[in-house]
Amino acid sequence: MATTTNAQTGENGARMTVRQVDFLYPPAMKAHWNPGKPEFSQIVNAASLAMPYLEPYLIKSMRAARPQITDPALQADLDAYVRQEAAHYKQHRLFNDELKARGYQCIEALEARLQRDYADLEARRSLAFNLGYAEGFECMALVIGHMLVSDREYLFGDSESGVASLVLWHFVEEIEHKNVTYDVFNHLHGNYFLRVRGVLFALTHIFLRTRSGYQALLREDGLWHSWRSRWTLAKLLARIFGYITPRLLRILLPGYDPRQVSDPPWARAWAALFARDRSALRLDTRRLDAPEPIALTGAQ
């Protein structure tokens, strides 16, 4: 099932659509939902574990900022952003429950650490810092969204379509709201050094926690001590960071604005297709180059 509940048009003319969606995962689905790339599967799984803690923290930070915003258009963008992020973390929580059902013992400790991290940031850091962190996450999400779309055939081809659909849906929406946290931060603070501090902290924190997560998951798989798996992981990380590193460095420049980053044509095409036919949510991972309507009637 997929429905559209609301939409807002941001300052850059990009349309933010709040989509209420469901994803189907077959009972036999393994944690290695891309069987040809178990290492990539666990990187994504580790990142997903953070979403039910990271995204509520972002939402609370943005809501705390809202009373100080004097621009009605920016208030509307913030509200649409919050609704999109709420849908994201709810769907990731459901997916994470699927991972737990596969018997991973390390997940409880990983989640507890993430919960403590974001509770501490919310309680101990200033609103300016938390908004800078939010901008750091959104900068990273924009870059990673472009990478996932650009390399979708390699990363998601022949994988379980429910998971591929979850991840690509999430990052299409991250691309849609790419400028909101940037605009909120600038509206309230506009200090370049505060922004860079928040961005660098967020990038470091998220990458370290994701690394801890996929290492723990791969240990339970028995793959962490396999030289073949470690070599495959090293090549995969080199591929990912080879794409994202120069783009992450760009966001540290004083004149950076996310509006300078053009949206991927595939992401725009998928959003337009969804607007015409909401059954298009589920991607056929054998034909990621041409998204087509696929009925949500069961797992492939």
Side-chain angles (χ1 to χ4, degrees):
M1 178 182 177
T3 59
T4 302
T5 60
N6 196 11
Q8 297 289 347
T9 301
E11 294 178 5
N12 63 343
R15 189 169 180 81
M16 280 185 284
T17 302
V18 182
R19 304 169 180 91
Q20 300 300 322
V21 296
D22 293 307
F23 298 95
L24 299 177
Y25 309 111
M29 184 187 76
K30 299 184 182 301
H32 300 165
W33 43 265
N34 185 335
K37 294 182 174 63
E39 293 79 14
F40 178 65
S41 298
Q42 295 294 33
I43 290 173
V44 172
N45 294 344
S48 180
L49 292 176
M51 294 303 109
Y53 308 99
L54 165 58
E55 291 190 307
Y57 158 76
L58 301 179
I59 289 169
K60 291 175 183 177
S61 298
M62 295 290 276
R63 283 177 170 165
R66 195 185 190 282
Q68 303 178 39
I69 295 172
T70 57
D71 180 354
L74 184 53
Q75 289 176 336
D77 282 354
L78 185 155
D79 293 340
Y81 168 90
V82 164
R83 288 193 288 272
Q84 279 194 338
E85 294 290 44
H88 296 173
Y89 85 75
K90 290 173 184 175
Q91 288 299 326
H92 279 280
R93 186 178 295 280
L94 293 172
F95 175 68
N96 296 348
D97 288 343
E98 294 284 339
L99 292 178
K100 292 178 188 177
R102 272 66 186 169
Y104 282 93
Q105 300 300 308
C106 64
I107 288 179
E108 183 176 354
L110 292 170
E111 289 184 321
R113 187 175 191 181
L114 289 161
Q115 186 175 33
R116 288 195 304 272
D117 283 353
Y118 288 108
D120 286 346
L121 287 174
E122 182 185 350
R124 299 181 182 181
R125 297 285 187 163
S126 68
L127 179 59
F129 181 91
N130 290 333
L131 292 176
Y133 188 108
E135 169 57 6
F137 169 75
E138 294 301 334
C139 288
M140 181 196 70
L142 177 60
V143 170
I144 290 178
H146 276 254
M147 182 270 295
L148 294 173
V149 168
S150 174
D151 216 10
R152 61 191 178 276
E153 292 286 353
Y154 176 81
L155 297 173
F156 295 104
D158 296 322
S159 64
E160 163 52 41
S161 60
V163 185
S165 301
L166 166 69
V167 175
L168 289 169
W169 156 78
H170 183 164
F171 281 92
V172 165
E173 294 196 351
E174 293 294 337
I175 291 167
E176 282 182 348
H177 65 230
K178 64 187 178 183
N179 60 282
V180 179
T181 57
Y182 175 88
D183 291 342
V184 169
F185 183 85
N186 280 340
H187 183 79
L188 297 183
H189 303 288
N191 184 293
Y192 167 75
F193 296 101
L194 280 178
R195 184 180 76 84
V196 169
R197 181 185 68 165
V199 167
L200 291 176
F201 185 96
L203 294 177
T204 302
H205 179 246
I206 293 167
F207 284 140
L208 288 176
R209 290 294 180 262
T210 301
R211 185 180 69 176
S212 296
Y214 69 68
Q215 287 178 353
L217 293 165
L218 288 170
R219 283 193 184 95
E220 284 207 40
D221 290 333
L223 292 175
W224 184 247
H225 298 296
S226 163
W227 71 264
R228 288 186 177 87
S229 181
R230 293 289 287 275
W231 176 239
T232 299
L233 177 64
K235 291 190 294 182
L236 175 61
L237 292 174
R239 184 184 185 108
I240 292 171
F241 279 94
Y243 182 97
I244 70 174
T245 298
R247 292 164 175 84
L248 290 175
L249 291 174
R250 178 185 178 185
I251 70 180
L252 300 177
L253 297 176
Y256 169 79
D257 187 317
R259 293 172 180 80
Q260 299 164 348
V261 182
S262 299
D263 296 344
W266 185 90
R268 294 198 305 268
W270 181 87
L273 176 60
F274 182 91
R276 297 194 306 272
D277 185 344
R278 293 167 185 169
S279 69
L281 175 68
R282 191 178 183 86
L283 296 166
D284 182 347
T285 60
R286 295 181 296 275
R287 301 188 65 228
L288 284 166
D289 58 325
E292 293 183 353
I294 308 267
L296 286 170
T297 57
Q300 294 181 4

